[in-house]
Amino acid sequence: MADRRRVNGPGSSTLPPVYDDGELDAALRRQRAPDAIRPLYLKTGVTPSASGSAYLEIEPREGEHGSGMKLTCTVHGPRSLPRSAPFSPYMVLSTHVKFAPFATKQRRGYLRDSSEKDLSTHLETALRGALIADRWPKSGVDVVVTIIEGESTRQDAVERRVEEWDVMNVLGGCITVASAAIADAGIDCVDTVSGGVAALVASKDGKDASIVLDPVALEHESILAACCVAYLPNRDEVTNLWFKGQLPSPASCNHQSLVSRAVQASRGTHGLISASLSEAIGSTQN
Amino acid sequence: MATDILPSLAIPGTILGPASKYASGPGTHIYGGNIVSSLLGNVNVTAPAKAPGPTKRLNKITAPSVEELSTISVIRRGRKREVLPDVGNTVLARVVRLMPKQAIVVIQQVGDTVLQTEWQGVIRVQDVRATEQDKVKIHESFKPGDIVRAQVISLGDQANYYLSTASNELGVIMATSDVGNDMVPISWKEFKDPDTGVSEPRKVAKPS
């Protein structure tokens, strides 16, 4: 008799899906200008049951199916805190970032792992600096970001271990999509926070390094350092900063210039969010 | 008033106008001397409410008060926004549980807005009515299932808003009898079942 307490495997044997990865060739090199970010698609109000929601798609390279990203964010609340929670005169924010099990080439578990918890903490810091929390006393807001498709969908990504750099782009996308969803939910913010990533990449011979915006790890020979910021453009404030990697000792590039390039990337993202949000309210009027 | 320079749509962070010329309304905040939008929506400018009658002759030198400025607010049209009960709001609440010293209620409407989430409130025995507070008995004022009009007096503790019915206009507005019929108020402290003729004690709200 079948075990009814557990989810049983299929009765017959199945084959794992095999994806055609294509060859990693020279064409898989960055063709954008160093200061160009990838095109974005942002739509708010995609989940009717949530108070606010947004969907963000970062376009893969033209003619490729490799390094795009798809993220969705739902905002629930403001709603009453559970009975056990202590009194809070301001809004209690909780963030959850989760990769879908199929988001990356390496399958993710259903439980949150440490990197997802890390991303949640970064996202919480980024949003907390933008929210006007004291307008909503005694209430809680849940921000849930699901990564439907991550950057590392290709087998090469696993082999070359670039996932640790892709997580920067994921955080940048999370910040952007969460900010749009919070605006959609009608929760007071001082500014529309947006995420931006810049990286210091080495050329093929490993000699000269240059800074690129919105890096895709697969497109570069090696990444030396990367920086992700959450930035409030109208206030010129950074709410969250994540720096990773080692800068080469001859200071051709210091930390400050990498951060300012990341800020520049997030300014670009902000232009896209504001255009998309204005379009969203413009269309509901008609 | 130069309203034409204002943007019609605002996203959080959009600068709407100088704080010296406008007052900050709902959905905005003040930063660096400017009114800045904090919500996504349409910008509204409300002219100041002019006092009727002839203006009073100035006998004192005073700074122009805030009421004389137009108020900027940002409102998302076609979308209900969640509101929170605040101190001073009149709310409608349903009684869920009675205790000797207090009644537990669930707030369902704030002003004219029906809430999406349920907020728990408590009416303490000393807040039931304004006079003879020591003679109030909770069991003779409310019954579970009654709809009560009340005023928020405090954000309260972790779980409850503190409500008061200590006013003529506040109290039970809808009640059902033991057998389940809707009752009608017959005095300031009694509801009567029109079918059975039995009357029950309540803290009755003055019909409006």
Side-chain angles (χ1 to χ4, degrees), chain A residues 83 135 138 186 192 234 285, chain B residues 12-13 28 38 42 81 120 155:
Chain A
R83 282 175 154 282
R135 293 215 174 153
K138 291 179 69 168
T192 315
N234 292 305
Q285 274 183 312
Chain B
T28 63
S38 55
N42 305 92
R81 186 161 177 259
Q120 191 170 294
L155 295 186

Side-chain angles (χ1 to χ4, degrees), chain B residues 24 127 136:
Chain B
S24 165
D127 297 325
V136 172

Side-chain angles (χ1 to χ4, degrees), chain A residues 155-166:
Chain A
Q155 187 61 41
D156 321 326
V158 182
E159 284 163 5
R160 291 180 48 198
R161 296 166 196 245
V162 292
E163 209 159 315
E164 56 164 330
W165 299 111
D166 281 337

Side-chain angles (χ1 to χ4, degrees), chain A residues 13-136:
Chain A
S13 67
T14 56
L15 283 172
V18 180
Y19 298 101
D20 180 18
D21 257 353
E23 290 294 311
L24 175 63
D25 51 2
L28 195 67
R29 290 283 158 241
R30 185 177 174 113
Q31 282 151 5
R32 282 174 287 139
D35 59 349
I37 58 173
R38 283 172 290 176
L40 299 179
Y41 173 76
L42 181 68
K43 187 174 163 60
T44 53
V46 289
T47 312
S49 58
S51 335
S53 56
Y55 170 76
L56 176 74
E57 199 170 314
I58 296 175
E59 202 173 86
R61 285 155 37 83
E62 273 172 46
E64 282 285 332
H65 52 277
S67 47
M69 236 190 329
K70 295 186 176 78
L71 303 114
T72 171
C73 176
T74 52
V75 174
H76 299 277
R79 57 185 173 192
S80 49
L81 287 172
R83 282 175 154 282
S84 54
F87 178 80
S88 151
Y90 44 81
M91 172 191 284
V92 177
L93 173 73
S94 61
T95 54
H96 306 268
V97 175
K98 185 77 192 82
F99 280 90
F102 46 82
T104 47
K105 190 72 185 180
Q106 201 140 35
R107 204 171 164 80
R108 298 275 176 161
Y110 289 97
L111 297 173
R112 283 204 293 166
D113 64 17
S114 62
S115 75
E116 288 163 342
K117 282 185 183 145
D118 209 23
L119 284 172
S120 309
T121 316
H122 277 293
L123 180 62
E124 187 177 345
T125 325
L127 296 178
R128 183 157 286 167
L131 288 173
I132 309 177
D134 55 350
R135 293 215 174 153
W136 300 90

Side-chain angles (χ1 to χ4, degrees), chain A residues 51 79-80 83 85 87 135-139 183-184 186 188-192 234-235 237 274 278 281 285, chain B residues 9 11-13 28-29 31 38-39 41-42 76-77 79 81-82 84 117-120 155-158 160:
Chain A
S51 335
R79 57 185 173 192
S80 49
R83 282 175 154 282
F87 178 80
R135 293 215 174 153
W136 300 90
K138 291 179 69 168
S139 49
D184 185 48
D188 299 85
C189 286
V190 294
D191 202 343
T192 315
N234 292 305
R235 296 199 157 199
E237 284 173 20
S274 43
S278 307
I281 36 176
Q285 274 183 312
Chain B
L9 304 176
I11 65 165
T28 63
H29 65 283
Y31 175 73
S38 55
L39 288 181
N42 305 92
R76 179 94 178 255
R77 281 184 209 142
R79 175 78 80 97
R81 186 161 177 259
E82 183 68 19
L84 292 186
T117 48
E118 292 192 331
W119 300 88
Q120 191 170 294
L155 295 186
D157 56 15
Q158 56 200 23
N160 301 311

